Amino acid sequence: MSETLSPIDTAKFVAAKQAVGFVEDGMKLGLGTGSTAAWMVRCLAERIREEGLNIVGVPTSTRTAELARSLGIKVISLDEAKWLDMTIDGADEFDDELNLIKGGGGALLQEKIVATASDQMVVISDASKSVETLGAFPLPVEVIPFGWQTSKALLEEALNSMDVLGQSATLRMNGEAPYVTDEGNHILDLHLQRIGNARQLALVLNQVPGLVENGLFIDICDKVVIGHGDGRVEVRDIITGENTEGMVEFADTDNIFADL
Ligand code: 5RP
């Protein structure tokens, strides 16, 4: 095990490395956003370099696009790709049915479009994101700037009739200014604590005027790869119902550590 990595980074890295092992030559891949997805981009670049794979990537944020390009991964738009073989992305929470909360990194809109346009979505995560019931992590929703306070009020009203514990929404900030997404929108974080019916909530949220998309990913994820600090990885597959466990071995000299 690498002595350069903390247990949490090791967990993210081994999950990413295992998931990148699912990639086949010629694939069109959705590239997620966040710290775990960044490990995936590094592992993917390493496989492309070492095995000469012909892979194109559709990034879900400008951050991921910059990282992928800097590592030599060919980047195209979703409109160029049209459909993807697989998307690999992180998550903020996942439950036993592999429904997710995403958007902690503010990229939920592009992430949802890209994942939905993929034959398969693989989530990579450390074990801390596994929950019995979604909702402890604040649920991000993307709102357009025009009349966002009205959208927020309408949203909180809609939450009154939902099976949730909390109902407050806060505007995500970037220092003194509202956070702005890649699409020029803002993010409201919903402090729900517990979401009783995530499927119903996802539908209701998207009826609120001004709300572009919500961070609930229902029936989108096919597989979760969970990494642990000791190098173990579990794979849960919702399609086959199989749960497998193994170890990811890696040398301290792996190229991807060079830039750390
Ligand atoms: C970005 C996301 C991320 O995938 C999610 O926030 C997990 O991030 P990290 O891997 O850094 O914990 O949804 O919008």
Side-chain angles (χ1 to χ4, degrees):
M1 200 54 36
S2 170
E3 285 164 21
T4 55
L5 291 185
S6 65
I8 188 76
D9 278 332
T10 302
K12 292 176 182 187
F13 167 67
V14 293
K17 182 139 180 161
Q18 178 83 11
V20 163
F22 302 144
V23 173
E24 292 171 16
D25 192 24
M27 276 189 167
K28 291 189 272 188
L29 288 180
L31 308 176
T33 295
S35 57
T36 321
W39 280 112
M40 176 274 297
V41 174
R42 291 193 188 105
C43 291
L44 180 65
E46 190 186 44
R47 268 202 73 191
I48 292 172
R49 219 170 26 238
E50 289 184 351
E51 298 173 39
L53 300 181
N54 181 23
I55 299 291
V56 291
V58 172
T60 51
S61 63
T62 49
R63 268 168 291 163
T64 297
E66 280 164 17
L67 178 64
R69 281 200 192 94
S70 74
L71 295 171
I73 298 174
K74 188 175 176 206
V75 164
I76 60 171
S77 70
L78 183 57
D79 285 332
E80 285 171 293
K82 294 193 174 54
W83 194 258
L84 304 172
D85 297 290
M86 188 188 289
T87 284
I88 308 176
D89 200 350
D92 298 302
E93 280 186 354
F94 61 90
D95 67 14
D96 287 346
E97 293 176 344
L98 306 195
N99 292 321
L100 318 172
I101 286 183
K102 282 188 53 58
L108 67 104
L109 179 54
Q110 292 188 15
E111 288 173 336
K112 197 182 262 191
I113 296 170
V114 167
T116 305
S118 304
D119 282 341
Q120 232 195 115
M121 182 194 195
V122 178
V123 160
I124 46 178
S125 174
D126 60 85
S128 70
K129 314 275 184 71
S130 172
V131 297
E132 205 172 299
T133 308
L134 298 174
F137 190 91
L139 175 66
V141 299
E142 185 152 343
V143 287
I144 66 165
F146 176 85
W148 70 265
Q149 296 190 50
T150 303
S151 297
K152 177 174 177 285
L154 291 168
L155 193 58
E156 286 172 331
E157 198 181 307
L159 289 174
N160 276 328
S161 55
M162 292 288 103
D163 182 7
V164 291
L165 278 185
Q167 286 159 20
S168 70
T170 50
L171 181 69
R172 192 178 295 183
M173 302 298 286
N174 182 11
E176 297 292 299
Y179 178 86
V180 179
T181 69
D182 277 350
E183 300 300 320
N185 298 315
H186 297 323
I187 299 273
L188 294 172
D189 289 304
L190 310 186
H191 303 272
L192 308 176
Q193 297 166 51
R194 184 182 184 282
I195 301 173
N197 188 338
R199 190 176 301 274
Q200 182 192 39
L201 180 65
L203 293 174
V204 168
L205 288 176
N206 284 11
Q207 301 302 313
V208 176
L211 196 146
V212 186
E213 194 47 85
N214 68 79
L216 286 168
F217 283 47
I218 309 293
D219 295 338
I220 295 177
C221 173
D222 300 288
K223 219 180 253 183
V224 173
V225 182
I226 306 160
H228 296 270
D230 58 4
R232 273 179 309 120
V233 281
E234 295 167 58
V235 181
R236 296 189 198 160
D237 189 320
I238 200 75
I239 308 291
T240 63
E242 277 177 23
N243 290 345
T244 54
E245 197 171 320
M247 284 293 285
V248 169
E249 302 293 344
F250 59 98
D252 285 352
T253 51
D254 267 1
N255 288 337
I256 56 172
F257 299 129
D259 60 350
L260 290 178

